[in-house]
Amino acid sequence: MAIARSGFTICVAIAALVLACRATLSASPERSGSPQSPTFGVGRAPTAAELRAIDIDVAPDGRGLPSGRGTAAAGKDVYARRCETCHGPTGREGPQDVLVGGLGSLSTPNPQKTVGSYWPYATTLWDYIRRAMPFDHPGTLTTDEIYAATAYVLFMNGIVGEHDEVNQQTLPLVTMPNRSGFVADPRPDIPVKRKP
Amino acid sequence: MQRSRRWFLRASAFWSSAAIACRGRSGAPPAEPRSIGAPISAYGARSRFEKAARFVNRNTKAPLEEAASQTPLHDTFGIITPSSLHFERHHSGVPEIDPAAHRLTIHGLVDRPLVLTVDELKRLPSISRIHFLECSGNSSSEWRGGSSGSDVQRIHGLTSCGEWTGVSAALLLRECGVHADAAWVLAEGADAGKHDRSIPMQKMMDDALVVYGQNGEPLRPEQGYPLRLLLPGWEGNANVKWLRRLKVTDQAAMTREETSKYTDLMPDGTARQFTFVMEPKSVITQPSGGDRLPVAGVYEVTGIAWSGRGAIARVEITTDGGATWAAADLQTPVLPRAHTRFRWLWKWDGRNAVIASRCTDETGYTQPPLGELIARRGTNSFYHNNGIQAWRVAPDGTITNGNRA
C-alpha cells in the first residue's frame, strides 16, 4: 500500500514535469521577436504581417485607407447584390437602418438619422462597410467593392456624382452635410443640487 | 474496503433511482423529502423551481444577434447580478473564441507594441472590483412616455453589476511606453463586426481594466470571453467585448458607433458626442410595475441606485408623487460606480399612491425628475435617461408604470 502510494506520487511528478516542458516549448515561438514588456517580461512584438491583418481602422483624415477605387455607377450593382435586402432598393425602405434622406429633419419632432442627414465623416462609412457589412457576411467585399458601395450610398444622398471616383485621396475630402452637427458633452446640463 | 465501497455505490444508485421513480410519479417532491438527495455535481445549476430570466424581445425587425436582453431586476437580490442574468447587447452576435488562440495587440503611438496571450495577462498583477455596467440606451422607452403596462425589467433591465477581475489598462499601456502626443485609444473587439470605440487616454490611465473574470469565474461568452474592456461608470457600449486590439492614437477614430449611434440628439438638431458617463440613477425594484399588493399594510420598498461619477451618498423615497421625501437605508457595502441596494419600510394605507426613489451621489448630484431632462433635451436624445421612475399604486394594490403624467 505504502509502495503503491509513493509510485503514484512519482507518476504525478513526472506528469507535472512533462506538462511544464510542453508549456515552455509551446511558449517559445511566441517569445521570439521580443521586445517583451520591461517590468513583467510578457508579450512580444507583433510582426508586420500580423499588424496589417488587424490594423483596419480608417481615420477621418484618410489614414488607414488602402489603395483602390470605386464609383456610384459601379456601386449600384454591389448595392443591389449585397445591401438592398436589408436597406431597401433606394436606401430609404429598410427594414434595417435607413441610409438615405432625412436632410433638415434633425431638429423636427421626427428626426431621421441617415448617412446623408447625420453621419459627420465619409471615412466612417467606408470603415464600417469593411468592418461589419454585409451583416451576415462581414469581411467578404473586395476593397474596390467597398469603395463602390461607399460611393453609391453617398450618391443616393446627393453628396457625390454618379461618376466621381472615390479613392484614398478623394474620400477624406468629401464634406458630409452634418459635419459640424456634433457638440461636446455638457452634462450635468440641469440644476443638480437639491435639498434633501 | 473495496467491497464496502462497491456496496455503498450500489446502495446509493438504488436510492437515486428510487428517488427519480418517486419524482416521476408524483411530479412535485414533498416539502421535506425523506429520501436521499441528489449526488454532488461538477458545475451547479439553480433549483428547477426558479424561473427568473433575461427578457428577450423576439418581436423586433432587428435580428437577435443585433439586439439586447434585459436583467430581471425585480427578481435579483443584493447588488451582484448573476453572470447568467447579466444584460446583453451585441452588434454582430456572440463569437466563440478559443482563449488559447486569442491575442490582445497593443500598438500605435507606443515605443514597444505588444502581443499578449490571455495566460500572460493572468500572470500580471490582478485587480478585482465591483462595478455596474449600464447600456446608455437603458430606460430609453420613457422619453416619449413609456407604456403603463411596462415593468422594471423591460424599462431598466439594461443595467447589471458584477465583480470584474483583470489587469489595469494603465499598467499595460505603461509597459508599451505611450508617446507624449497620444490622446485616444481605439478599442476593438474580435466579434464578426469588429465593434470599436475611441476611449480618451485619461480614462485608460485612470481606472480602466482589461478583464478576464466575472463573479469569480471567467467572463461569460456574452460578456466578452475571454477579454473585455471595463470602463467603470461609463456607457456599456464603450466597454468593448472580445477585446483584441488597443491602438494608441492622437485623435478619435470617429467610428460608426461614436458618430451615427450613441450620440444624443438635441431639439436644435445638434448631437452630443462622447457622452460617456452614466449619471446618478435609482429605481424601486420591489414593489414595482406588474406587482399587486394583496392588502393594506407594511411593505419593504427596495431597489438599486448607482452613479458613474462615484459612490451613492443618499437615497430618498416618496409615496406621494414627489411632494415629500424620506431617507432610505443603504445596504453596505456602498461602492463607487456600483449598484447600491436601498431599503425602506412603507405602511401602505390602501389608497392611491405614487412611489419613487431618487439618489444623490458623492458629488452632490441629485437624480432629476424625467420632466426636467425632457425640458432640457427634448424627447429624441434616446440615450442617458437617468430620470426618476415613478410607480403608480392603485387602491386594489395593482402597480403600473407611473412615468406618464
Side-chain angles (χ1 to χ4, degrees):
Chain A
M1 187 78 170
I3 293 169
R5 196 177 284 167
S6 65
F8 176 70
T9 311
I10 292 167
C11 281
V12 169
I14 291 171
L17 266 175
V18 169
L19 281 175
C21 290
R22 208 190 282 165
T24 312
L25 286 175
S26 68
S28 55
E30 289 264 341
R31 291 285 163 74
S32 67
S34 297
Q36 297 172 37
S37 72
T39 315
F40 298 98
V42 294
R44 61 176 174 81
T47 66
E50 282 176 324
L51 272 188
R52 265 198 307 279
I54 61 169
D55 189 8
I56 59 170
D57 54 285
V58 172
D61 61 9
R63 276 185 289 175
L65 279 173
S67 60
R69 65 184 60 81
T71 61
K76 190 174 174 24
D77 171 60
V78 178
Y79 184 87
R81 285 187 292 112
R82 309 303 302 275
C83 319
E84 191 180 308
T85 311
C86 290
H87 297 291
T90 71
R92 295 172 186 265
E93 300 86 353
Q96 303 306 326
D97 280 18
V98 174
L99 306 177
V100 178
L103 267 183
S105 73
L106 296 181
S107 57
T108 70
N110 291 303
Q112 266 193 293
K113 296 193 269 189
T114 74
V115 174
S117 71
Y118 198 59
W119 290 43
Y121 300 98
T123 48
T124 305
L125 180 59
W126 199 99
D127 175 283
Y128 187 68
I129 293 172
R130 169 162 77 173
R131 180 176 298 279
M133 292 288 110
F135 179 75
D136 53 351
H137 293 96
T140 57
L141 295 176
T142 67
T143 298
D144 283 353
E145 284 178 323
I146 299 166
Y147 275 114
T150 301
Y152 190 62
V153 173
L154 294 174
F155 167 69
M156 286 193 289
N157 277 291
I159 295 168
V160 302
E162 189 174 3
H163 300 286
D164 291 351
E165 183 176 302
V166 173
N167 58 42
Q168 69 189 134
Q169 277 80 41
T170 60
L171 185 63
L173 301 177
V174 171
T175 303
M176 299 296 278
N178 197 39
R179 170 66 188 85
S180 57
F182 292 83
V183 298
D185 182 3
R187 296 175 303 157
D189 54 348
I190 51 163
V192 296
K193 308 274 185 184
R194 284 163 218 273
K195 274 190 286 188
Chain B
M1 184 172 161
Q2 281 201 333
R3 188 179 147 206
S4 66
R5 181 165 163 73
R6 259 193 231 120
W7 173 87
F8 173 76
L9 286 175
R10 267 203 307 272
S12 63
F14 168 78
W15 285 115
S16 295
S17 56
I20 288 165
C22 285
R23 224 171 18 223
R25 271 200 301 275
S26 65
E32 288 184 20
R34 303 283 298 257
S35 57
I36 192 167
I40 57 172
S41 60
Y43 195 85
R46 66 178 170 180
S47 161
R48 67 189 176 96
F49 300 104
E50 295 304 323
K51 307 292 184 198
R54 292 187 286 227
F55 176 68
V56 176
N57 182 6
R58 295 176 192 280
N59 186 28
T60 66
K61 62 179 182 177
L64 292 180
E65 295 84 359
E66 212 279 291
S69 67
Q70 290 148 309
T71 293
L73 297 175
H74 182 275
D75 297 316
T76 54
F77 315 119
I79 60 171
I80 299 293
T81 309
S83 300
S84 48
L85 296 175
H86 193 292
F87 85 85
E88 302 169 277
R89 173 71 174 101
H90 316 309
H91 292 74
S92 52
V94 181
E96 184 175 47
I97 295 177
D98 175 357
H102 189 76
R103 298 288 180 273
L104 173 64
T105 301
I106 308 175
H107 71 121
L109 300 176
V110 296
D111 296 333
R112 294 172 295 278
L114 283 178
V115 180
L116 296 152
T117 66
V118 177
D119 282 344
E120 284 177 315
L121 287 165
K122 288 180 176 172
R123 277 168 47 197
L124 298 174
S126 65
I127 295 173
S128 292
R129 289 207 197 104
I130 293 173
H131 287 303
F132 78 83
L133 199 55
E134 183 183 17
C135 177
S136 54
N138 197 24
S139 327
S140 58
S141 57
E142 306 309 287
W143 288 110
R144 291 177 176 222
S147 157
S148 61
S150 200
D151 57 32
V152 68
Q153 179 172 16
R154 283 180 285 171
I155 301 173
H156 304 291
L158 295 179
T159 186
S160 304
C161 185
E163 186 195 56
W164 308 95
T165 299
V167 180
S168 154
L171 178 150
L172 296 174
L173 289 166
R174 275 197 288 271
E175 288 295 277
C176 295
V178 173
H179 294 177
D181 56 341
W184 293 83
V185 176
L186 180 72
E188 183 180 79
D191 50 330
K194 306 290 178 281
H195 179 83
D196 62 337
R197 287 291 303 260
S198 305
I199 314 299
M201 181 61 78
Q202 196 179 358
K203 181 69 172 178
M204 294 297 287
M205 297 307 260
D206 179 12
D207 59 356
L209 299 173
V210 172
V211 306
Y212 46 77
Q214 176 188 6
N215 295 337
E217 59 181 352
L219 288 168
R220 289 290 166 102
E222 62 267 36
Q223 289 307 322
Y225 182 82
L227 296 175
R228 83 173 303 166
L229 187 62
L230 193 86
L231 306 172
W234 282 22
E235 65 181 7
N237 182 265
N239 294 250
V240 174
K241 297 185 282 192
W242 314 293
L243 186 68
R244 74 164 191 176
R245 188 161 75 101
L246 293 172
K247 183 182 187 180
V248 179
T249 64
D250 58 353
Q251 62 180 358
M254 299 295 174
T255 74
R256 179 254 201 180
E257 307 301 333
E258 64 206 24
T259 54
S260 74
K261 309 283 176 182
Y262 301 95
T263 47
D264 309 36
L265 186 62
M266 294 293 116
D268 67 357
T270 65
R272 296 172 178 177
Q273 195 180 21
F274 301 121
T275 42
F276 292 117
V277 174
M278 300 308 294
E279 295 192 295
K281 186 168 175 180
S282 70
V283 60
I284 294 172
T285 56
Q286 282 197 11
S288 61
D291 284 338
R292 185 172 176 276
L293 304 180
V295 291
V298 176
Y299 292 90
E300 181 178 75
V301 173
T302 182
I304 47 173
W306 63 99
S307 168
R309 291 207 173 91
I312 292 296
R314 187 170 77 234
V315 175
E316 298 157 289
I317 307 288
T318 182
T319 59
D320 54 15
T324 59
W325 295 88
D329 291 328
L330 300 187
Q331 171 67 59
T332 54
V334 176
L335 301 168
R337 299 172 182 85
H339 282 176
T340 297
R341 174 66 55 175
F342 63 83
R343 295 174 275 119
W344 188 73
L345 277 185
W346 178 35
K347 191 171 184 188
W348 180 48
D349 59 10
R351 288 191 285 215
N352 279 311
V354 175
I355 63 172
S357 62
R358 72 175 185 192
C359 66
T360 300
D361 72 4
E362 62 181 324
T363 72
Y365 180 120
T366 297
Q367 182 184 7
L370 177 56
E372 287 189 24
L373 293 177
I374 290 173
R376 179 75 178 86
R377 304 179 193 167
T379 56
N380 288 321
S381 63
F382 189 82
Y383 303 103
H384 299 106
N385 169 18
N386 67 317
I388 291 169
Q389 167 69 48
W391 301 113
R392 190 176 300 281
V393 184
D396 67 355
T398 57
I399 303 182
T400 53
N401 182 9
N403 284 342
R404 270 181 199 278

